[in-house]
Amino acid sequence: MVTFCTLHAAQRFNLFESKPIDMKTVVLFGILNGVSIGLLNLSLGFNSIGFYQMTKLAIIPFTVLLETIFLKKQFSQNIKLSLLLLLVGVGIASITDLQLNFVGTILSLLAIITTCVGQILTNTIQKRLNVSSTQLLYQSAPFQAAILFVSGPLVDQLLTKQNVFAHNYSPIVLAFIILSCIISVSVNFSTFLVIGKTSPVTYQVLGHLKTCLVLTFGYTLLHDPFTDRNIVGILIAIFGMGLYSYFCTQENKKKQADPLGSQMKEKDAAPFLGPQKEGHEVKNLNKDSLV
């Protein structure tokens, strides 16, 4: 909600131009992203940290699978190899325990599916409807906030038997909540920007770089335990990220050298979000809505 209010103020000061998007598309997209956030938090609550890390690692291969099947996107063997090295490295560095339970596993599977679909749609909506990351975030943020505001306290009450609104919030707690909200504005904005300008897979690679940095800064600043396994895992992950960046750059150069071929591939992938229609109907559909 703070993100929406900040963007609304920016829009009133003409820092960006609001662009209307089909209401059905925005509502479903906002609810999907809100549900994804809730499921990821529930997954962390019901699973061990190690299994939660496995859940986050599974997002990349599942995203690759969905984009390959529904968007007809092709990933080269070099890209797949670099992603494999990245996942192995992050897994070695961050996964310590794997405690399984039925409810936690179901929640993790749902979190993976909703997160992948939400991030793919973040990229697809921006490109198909020709809207910027700021415009999409501005339109969808209220619906994300609404679904979390309705479901969050209710789920909390069921799981903890405590009312979040009955808690005694001290000034220092309120200060950290406000600070968290302010930071979240830049996090939300950068998330939509990175996914829109690059791809959902690249965004996940960036997220795993964050994991490596958290482990490294935890050791250097907070003196957290750091083993040879952590070091080896981080080095493998960084090597995989370097390879991914290099191969992506090379493939982008090839696309720029042959723009007609890449446009034909994108055109072939168009049916992902609905059947194609003839004449002016398809133009209206692509302009306003993806649903």
Side-chain angles (χ1 to χ4, degrees):
M1 185 54 67
V2 172
T3 299
F4 170 74
C5 292
T6 303
L7 291 177
H8 184 69
Q11 190 259 336
R12 294 297 294 270
F13 283 103
N14 297 319
L15 296 179
F16 76 95
E17 182 180 351
S18 176
K19 184 175 181 179
I21 306 174
D22 173 70
M23 183 59 67
K24 185 178 179 181
T25 298
V26 173
V27 170
L28 292 177
F29 174 72
I31 292 175
L32 177 65
N33 276 324
V35 170
S36 170
I37 294 170
L39 287 172
L40 281 170
N41 279 282
L42 285 173
S43 174
L44 179 58
F46 277 87
N47 293 306
S48 64
I49 294 177
F51 192 81
Y52 177 71
Q53 287 293 341
M54 280 289 293
T55 299
K56 295 206 303 186
L57 290 178
I59 291 174
I60 284 184
F62 198 80
T63 301
V64 170
L65 179 64
L66 288 180
E67 289 194 308
T68 301
I69 295 174
F70 294 105
L71 293 179
K72 309 300 180 187
K73 186 173 181 179
Q74 296 179 352
F75 293 86
S76 67
Q77 293 299 321
N78 289 333
I79 292 290
K80 292 177 183 177
L81 175 62
S82 63
L83 290 174
L84 178 62
L85 282 174
L86 164 66
L87 295 176
V88 169
V90 175
I92 292 173
S94 61
I95 296 176
T96 55
D97 61 321
L98 285 176
Q99 299 176 11
L100 304 179
N101 66 81
F102 179 74
V103 175
T105 302
I106 296 299
L107 289 171
S108 292
L109 289 173
L110 293 174
I112 292 170
I113 294 171
T114 53
T115 300
C116 291
V117 174
Q119 291 179 2
I120 290 173
L121 286 178
T122 301
N123 178 272
T124 305
I125 290 174
Q126 290 184 54
K127 291 183 176 178
R128 298 274 179 88
L129 301 186
N130 194 28
V131 295
S132 69
S133 56
T134 309
Q135 290 168 334
L136 179 58
L137 181 59
Y138 177 62
Q139 294 286 339
S140 61
F143 300 103
Q144 293 185 52
I147 189 67
L148 291 170
F149 186 76
V150 171
S151 63
L154 178 63
V155 174
D156 239 21
Q157 179 83 34
L158 292 174
L159 295 177
T160 66
K161 308 302 180 185
Q162 294 178 345
N163 188 343
V164 67
F165 299 110
H167 183 77
N168 183 23
Y169 292 96
S170 65
I172 190 169
V173 171
L174 289 174
F176 274 106
I177 290 175
I178 294 170
L179 178 62
S180 176
C181 290
I182 294 172
I183 293 173
S184 73
V185 175
S186 61
V187 172
N188 290 329
F189 177 76
S190 61
T191 296
F192 277 59
L193 182 64
V194 169
I195 294 176
K197 293 294 184 183
T198 58
S199 71
V201 173
T202 300
Y203 171 73
Q204 285 298 322
V205 171
L206 192 64
H208 290 306
L209 173 60
K210 179 195 71 175
T211 300
C212 294
L213 291 175
V214 167
L215 292 172
T216 304
F217 283 121
Y219 171 72
T220 55
L221 299 179
L222 304 177
H223 305 292
D224 288 342
F226 211 63
T227 64
D228 292 338
R229 174 178 171 173
N230 296 130
I231 297 173
V232 170
I234 289 174
L235 291 176
I236 294 174
I238 291 175
F239 181 65
M241 292 175 201
L243 286 178
Y244 177 80
S245 178
Y246 172 76
F247 291 137
C248 282
T249 302
Q250 294 301 310
E251 291 188 7
N252 285 334
K253 288 180 179 178
K254 290 180 181 179
K255 288 181 181 179
Q256 291 173 0
D258 184 22
L260 185 60
S262 60
Q263 287 176 3
M264 290 298 294
K265 289 179 181 178
E266 289 180 2
K267 190 175 180 181
D268 291 340
F272 171 59
L273 289 164
Q276 296 299 301
K277 300 183 180 180
E278 298 296 331
H280 68 278
E281 287 183 288
V282 69
K283 292 180 181 178
N284 291 335
L285 178 66
N286 288 337
K287 181 180 178 182
D288 299 322
S289 173
L290 287 178
V291 179

